[in-house]
Amino acid sequence: MGIQSENALSEAYIMIESCEMEKAAALLDDTLAGDLDNDSLVFAIQCCNFWKTTLPQLEQSGYFERGETLVNQWKQFMQLASREDGKQERTLYAFRKGIFSLALEFYGKASDEKDDKLHSEICRKKGLCYKKLGSYEVALKCLTEANTSVPGQSSVMAEMADCYALCGETKYAKLLFKEAFFIDAQKIDLDFLDSQLITLLVKKVSEKGYSGAVLQEWIPVYGVLFGVFTVKRKLRSQEVLGLKQEIFAKKSELKDPNNNSSVIIPRLMNLYFWLIDHYQLSKDSVSKINDVMLEIRTLDPAVYKIFVQ
């Protein structure tokens, strides 16, 4: 890469980090004319063009909606970025800093009007933005506030777990991830989880051919089988009752051919794992554990074989 191209990219990165996509694109286009084979210039221009169509539309909506638009568009943008297979990390860093800084600004100006649910969601999204900007401790403060406003949301707990993992607090991260996927795996947005603890697990499970809602439900199962979700806790009596009620409900659902068994089976499997944890921590009778193990073997012999090894 020539010095002129390097200088142009460095200058463009400053503009991109301020979300001045039009100016950055114009500069890079001019530079490309003298360096047509420069992949970094081409990719940066493609990225600028992507955001040039999104940013002008933001003024037509409220602050919260603007933040939501940026966050949702980031998913589509990463599909473009994934083609580069990590070769353009400096360029992606500039766009990540620009987009999530702007989204954070919008969420900060959004009004929750004393609505706990909306306040929690704004705090969660602010936490997400701080996490993407590398400020993990600040992100955790926002996510803790989100969890305080509306406790027990799997989406919030998964983000908290991700932050703890990125901070090196692996034990607590494992516990929170396990809790989050137990509460509601479908509400967890895998696209925004960054720590290797969870991304490697997601990759391994997806390599088995699972996708979508089915993938979401199998993640906690393989999290146990692969030794990732290893941290356990005692359940309260009310939680045990709820756990057994849901197991009964899922078994009934499984008997109905109109229901989607590909989603029900891994969910039921995860419930069985939690019940076994409860029996083990409570030092309950071995016969109860054996009964659950039999249910697991009947449900999926392959999973049972891995589980008992």
Side-chain angles (χ1 to χ4, degrees):
M1 185 188 297
I3 295 177
Q4 185 177 354
S5 295
E6 287 185 4
N7 291 339
L9 276 169
S10 296
E11 192 174 341
Y13 290 150
I14 296 173
M15 298 173 186
I16 291 166
E17 289 173 8
S18 299
C19 284
E20 297 176 296
M21 305 304 179
E22 293 276 1
K23 290 173 63 176
L27 171 63
L28 295 170
D29 276 328
D30 288 343
T31 308
L32 183 64
D35 195 359
L36 293 174
D37 295 326
N38 192 312
D39 291 339
S40 294
L41 288 174
V42 172
F43 178 67
I45 291 170
Q46 289 175 339
C47 293
C48 285
N49 289 338
F50 177 94
W51 289 107
K52 277 166 57 179
T53 61
T54 299
L55 296 180
Q57 302 172 10
L58 296 178
E59 295 181 5
Q60 301 173 12
S61 54
Y63 286 120
F64 179 75
E65 289 73 18
R66 295 182 198 185
E68 293 291 90
T69 297
L70 290 176
V71 170
N72 291 330
Q73 284 293 97
W74 184 261
K75 289 185 184 183
Q76 295 185 32
F77 175 67
M78 287 309 294
Q79 293 179 8
L80 168 66
S82 64
R83 303 171 195 165
E84 293 299 313
D85 197 24
K87 292 183 291 186
Q88 302 288 352
E89 184 53 39
R90 179 62 187 91
T91 299
L92 291 176
Y93 171 81
F95 281 96
R96 185 165 59 248
K97 183 175 180 181
I99 296 303
F100 284 101
S101 293
L102 184 58
L104 182 60
E105 179 183 335
F106 290 145
Y107 285 124
K109 293 179 179 178
S111 174
D112 54 34
E113 297 179 352
K114 297 183 179 180
D115 181 332
D116 286 343
K117 189 173 182 180
L118 180 56
H119 177 71
S120 177
E121 183 62 11
I122 290 173
C123 288
R124 180 174 82 88
K125 290 296 174 58
K126 286 169 70 175
L128 169 63
C129 291
Y130 277 119
K131 185 186 74 172
K132 286 293 186 180
L133 294 170
S135 299
Y136 305 134
E137 292 184 3
V138 181
L140 276 170
K141 289 181 181 178
C142 293
L143 293 166
T144 300
E145 185 174 348
N147 192 52
T148 301
S149 295
V150 182
Q153 297 178 87
S154 60
S155 56
V156 175
M157 296 179 75
E159 287 292 346
M160 292 177 71
D162 203 36
C163 282
Y164 277 114
L166 291 166
C167 290
E169 299 284 347
T170 305
K171 183 177 180 180
Y172 202 39
K174 287 182 176 183
L175 175 61
L176 282 176
F177 270 131
K178 187 175 180 180
E179 294 276 353
F181 279 94
F182 173 68
I183 292 170
D184 192 342
Q186 301 300 323
K187 294 285 181 65
I188 298 171
D189 197 334
L190 302 180
D191 291 325
F192 288 113
L193 299 179
D194 298 327
S195 63
Q196 281 196 334
L197 177 68
I198 193 68
T199 54
L200 290 178
L201 175 60
V202 172
K203 182 181 179 182
K204 286 183 179 180
V205 179
S206 63
E207 286 173 351
K208 293 184 173 294
Y210 301 120
S211 61
V214 179
L215 170 66
Q216 305 269 129
E217 297 294 349
W218 275 111
I219 287 171
V221 175
Y222 281 97
V224 173
L225 298 179
F226 293 159
V228 180
F229 293 176
T230 54
V231 182
K232 306 174 183 180
R233 70 167 178 86
K234 283 189 175 182
L235 299 177
R236 297 184 297 273
S237 57
Q238 189 173 359
E239 290 179 302
V240 177
L241 178 61
L243 177 62
K244 291 181 177 179
Q245 288 175 339
E246 189 176 356
I247 287 174
F248 179 80
K250 292 301 177 187
K251 289 175 70 175
S252 298
E253 289 176 23
L254 200 56
K255 295 176 183 178
D256 186 346
N258 293 319
N259 290 326
N260 188 355
S261 61
S262 62
V263 172
I264 297 171
I265 288 174
R267 174 60 183 172
L268 184 53
M269 189 72 69
N270 190 34
L271 295 172
Y272 283 144
F273 286 173
W274 273 79
L275 187 56
I276 288 176
D277 286 350
H278 164 67
Y279 287 149
Q280 290 176 336
L281 292 172
S282 302
K283 301 190 185 320
D284 222 316
S285 64
V286 175
S287 63
K288 288 185 177 180
I289 297 175
N290 288 338
D291 287 343
V292 181
M293 293 293 285
L294 181 59
E295 295 279 3
I296 292 174
R297 186 172 64 180
T298 303
L299 190 63
D300 193 319
V303 168
Y304 172 81
K305 186 176 181 180
I306 300 173
F307 186 60
V308 298
Q309 285 179 347

